């Protein structure tokens, strides 16, 4: 059913929340470059967000600073909502990243305004905090956001790296937050970067 079939409850706040819930279903149609581990298709934004939210429950012990897991999980769940309007920008696409901030800010304005003001402001602040990557909670959430597609690449013969001709230094730069915030995990990351280069999945 289209959103035009929505039956109003006559409670303005509830209707805003229900309409927003229907709107974010569009995340299931936003495809990322990352291949599912079974190699059957590309994952969508909703799958990615769910995956890293669960990961955030698992890897806390490797963080170098205390993390509020509840807040970090919230960031994981909402960090890509704006891609409903802005689209997914591939991490290693220099041209696409040039105007990413402007596109995503405009998308945030449009999307979060659909919620009741207090909730829209709360979620936008979480999104902005994640994007700034300055607080321990945001750094931890960012680690999950980077670790998940990296893991997928290691298990799909470097699919997105090969497809895009990604070079080692670009991956190391993107994974730097893990090196700083989760150094024990980065040891595994580094081992896999070496392996990817040796197999030709990444350019040295």
């Amino acid at each position: 059913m289209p959103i035009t079939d929505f039956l109003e409850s006559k409670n303005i706040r509830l209707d805003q929340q229900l309409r927003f819930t229907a709107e974010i279903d569009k995340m299931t149609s936003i495809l990322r470059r990352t291949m599912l581990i079974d190699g059957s298709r590309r994952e969508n934004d909703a799958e990615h967000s769910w995956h890293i939210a669960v990961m955030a429950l698992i890897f806390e012990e490797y963080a170098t600073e205390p993390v509020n897991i509840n807040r970090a999980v919230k960031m994981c769940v909402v960090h890509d909502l704006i891609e409903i309007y802005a689209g997914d920008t591939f991490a290693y696409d220099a041209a696409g990243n040039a105007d990413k901030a402007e596109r995503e800010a405009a998308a945030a304005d449009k999307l979060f305004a659909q919620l009741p003001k207090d909730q829209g402001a709360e979620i936008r602040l979480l999104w902005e905090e994640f994007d700034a990557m300055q607080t321990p909670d945001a750094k931890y959430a960012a680690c999950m956001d980077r670790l998940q597609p990296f893991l997928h690449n290691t298990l799909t013969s470097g699919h997105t790296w090969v497809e895009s001709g990604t070079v080692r230094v670009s991956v190391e730069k993107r994974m730097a937050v893990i090196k700083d915030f989760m150094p024990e995990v980065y040891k595994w990351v580094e081992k896999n970067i070496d392996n990817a280069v040796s197999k030709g999945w990444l350019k040295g």
Side-chain angles (χ1 to χ4, degrees):
M1 286 186 176
I3 192 66
T4 51
D5 292 324
F6 175 75
L7 294 178
E8 294 185 353
S9 69
K10 304 308 179 184
N11 177 325
I12 294 175
R13 182 180 178 88
L14 176 58
D15 287 343
Q16 287 179 305
Q17 293 164 329
L18 289 169
R19 287 180 179 276
F20 180 83
T21 301
E23 185 70 359
I24 63 174
D25 180 70
K26 292 177 180 178
M27 283 190 80
T28 60
S29 298
I30 307 299
L31 294 180
R32 294 166 48 82
R33 295 284 287 274
T34 304
M35 184 69 66
L36 293 181
I37 290 172
D38 69 4
S40 61
R41 60 173 174 82
R42 291 157 62 189
E43 71 174 356
N44 64 51
D45 265 358
E47 291 166 328
H48 167 70
S49 297
W50 158 80
H51 211 169
I52 68 171
V54 176
M55 289 170 64
L57 300 175
I58 298 171
F59 292 95
E60 179 185 6
E61 66 195 87
Y62 302 106
T64 56
E65 298 179 60
V67 174
N68 182 323
I69 295 300
N70 183 50
R71 295 189 76 252
V73 168
K74 286 182 179 181
M75 286 183 202
C76 290
V77 171
V78 306
H79 81 290
D80 274 346
L81 286 175
I82 45 82
E83 293 187 359
I84 289 169
Y85 303 135
D88 177 64
T89 304
F90 182 50
Y92 304 112
D93 177 5
N97 278 281
D99 66 346
K100 178 184 176 184
E102 292 78 9
R103 285 187 289 106
E104 292 191 347
D109 289 342
K110 179 179 179 181
L111 182 64
F112 300 135
Q114 296 175 42
L115 275 169
K117 191 173 182 179
D118 61 318
Q119 291 183 322
E122 178 189 5
I123 294 178
R124 182 170 189 141
L125 285 173
L126 284 167
W127 170 71
E128 290 176 349
E129 182 179 345
F130 172 89
D131 213 41
M133 220 165 61
Q134 296 297 311
T135 66
D137 297 345
K139 289 177 184 177
Y140 181 68
C143 286
M144 301 302 101
D145 185 46
R146 284 153 175 73
L147 185 61
Q148 186 257 0
F150 182 90
L151 175 63
H152 279 233
N153 265 311
T154 69
L155 299 174
T156 56
S157 302
H159 177 81
T160 60
W161 296 331
V162 173
E163 185 180 62
S164 60
T166 302
V167 298
R168 177 181 188 133
V169 66
S170 295
V171 175
E172 290 175 334
K173 181 178 179 181
R174 182 154 180 82
M175 305 301 281
V177 64
I178 297 178
K179 185 176 184 178
D180 293 339
F181 200 75
M182 304 179 74
E184 182 66 22
V185 176
Y186 191 78
K187 293 176 185 177
W188 174 85
V189 168
E190 190 170 38
K191 184 183 296 186
N192 278 277
I193 291 175
D194 289 340
N195 184 58
V197 172
S198 71
K199 290 187 174 178
W201 302 344
L202 279 175
K203 296 179 180 180

